[in-house]
Amino acid sequence: MNTMPYKAVLFARFSFTSIAYFFYQFEDLCIIMTKSRLKGCTLIFESQRQQCILDILNDQQFATVGELSTKLSSSKATILRDITKLAARKELKKIHGGAEWLAPPKTKVKSKLEARTKNPSSKTSVTDIGKNSNLQSRLAKRAVELCTDGEAIIISGGSTTHLMGEFLAERNLNILTNSIAMAQILWQNGDSQVSLPGGELYRKHGIITSVHDDDSTKHYNCSKMFIDALGVGELGVMEADPILIRAQHKLRQQAEQLILLADSATLGMRSNFVFVPLSELDVLITDSGADPTMVKNFKDQGVEVIIVEDEAVTISV
């Protein structure tokens, strides 16, 4: 009996399946890369993407595949595979059309409070704000001194930028912020006009941002944007959460100048994602403990470095 036609059919089926699978994976990758470029977000690797899924569920208990796909700039097929893997590891519950957080609410609240005490990526938590507040307060005060009354500025949510609120109370500015805590401070103190972007509340960072490109943010035109970060070095300004990165990118497009508040301990630290390279950073405000070699490197990259002393301020240009 001649088995060649049978083997040929098997080979053809195998080849077709392999090719189809390749194009399926390639299409999926193209979707992710395209969305990443459009939204200014760094391509997310599997482990990071899965952690983001867990973070989102930790905040809101439940999310649909479509919602996760939009927030993480990934295809629905990719999200489904991630959910399946996480469910197999019993890290979440896979349900029809989405995923559900496994931990009971009381455990969730406790773990989040502990995480905010230990993890600096929880940028606007009360425990973070108290840490090194004297040094960070001096950086925040110097940042406010760069502003002129009547000026339109952006303040991104963060543990150091949050402290700018204390010194903005007697100023008259037009302020766009995505920080709930900052908006509350400015609402209770001072006469500055305060605006919040439309979108959803992300409790982990205490910010409001939208997953849609067509929102109110694009209608603002500001001279300065103030941020802090988990790390800054040769690669640029870095953060740990792609959702925060996306929120900052949307605000960054509406400001002429980018100003970073970072104490000396932050210089040289690295994190998962690059927000902007050093070439896009205009001003760095740091303290006198900064490594002179690093300061020189920043200035060589065209960054204006402002060194804040205990009481006096020295400006290095």
Side-chain angles (χ1 to χ4, degrees), residues 50-66:
Q50 291 176 1
Q51 183 57 53
C52 289
I53 291 174
L54 294 176
D55 288 342
I56 292 170
L57 293 177
N58 193 7
D59 278 339
Q60 61 191 55
Q61 300 298 303
F62 167 80
T64 65
V65 172

Side-chain angles (χ1 to χ4, degrees), residues 130-204:
K131 185 179 180 180
N132 296 327
S133 59
N134 186 36
L135 173 58
Q136 292 177 337
S137 181
R138 295 202 304 272
L139 301 183
K141 180 181 179 181
R142 184 64 183 97
V144 172
E145 291 173 356
L146 299 179
C147 302
T148 304
D149 281 349
E151 190 175 17
I153 65 170
I154 297 172
I155 302 177
S156 182
S159 58
T160 306
T161 52
H162 172 95
L163 297 173
M164 292 175 64
E166 174 187 352
F167 306 102
L168 288 167
E170 298 181 1
R171 304 297 298 272
N172 186 6
L173 298 163
N174 296 311
I175 302 171
L176 172 63
T177 181
N178 60 358
S179 168
I180 297 295
M182 174 64 74
Q184 183 177 8
I185 289 174
L186 297 175
W187 170 61
Q188 294 174 338
N189 304 279
D191 299 317
S192 292
Q193 179 178 327
V194 183
S195 300
L196 286 165
E200 300 174 348
L201 170 62
Y202 288 84
R203 291 180 178 83
K204 178 179 179 181

Side-chain angles (χ1 to χ4, degrees), residues 154 156 176 178 217 225 247-255:
I154 297 172
S156 182
L176 172 63
N178 60 358
T217 305
M225 177 176 173
Q248 289 184 327
H249 267 293
K250 294 182 70 173
L251 294 174
R252 175 66 186 99
Q253 295 173 10
Q254 310 308 127

Side-chain angles (χ1 to χ4, degrees), residues 96-136:
H96 179 70
E100 190 174 55
W101 179 249
L102 275 179
K106 290 184 179 179
T107 304
K108 168 182 172 286
V109 172
K110 181 180 179 181
S111 64
K112 287 186 71 176
L113 289 174
E114 291 174 350
R116 287 181 175 181
T117 304
K118 300 175 183 178
N119 184 1
S121 67
S122 302
K123 298 178 69 60
T124 55
S125 64
V126 175
T127 49
D128 271 343
I129 292 168
K131 185 179 180 180
N132 296 327
S133 59
N134 186 36
L135 173 58
Q136 292 177 337

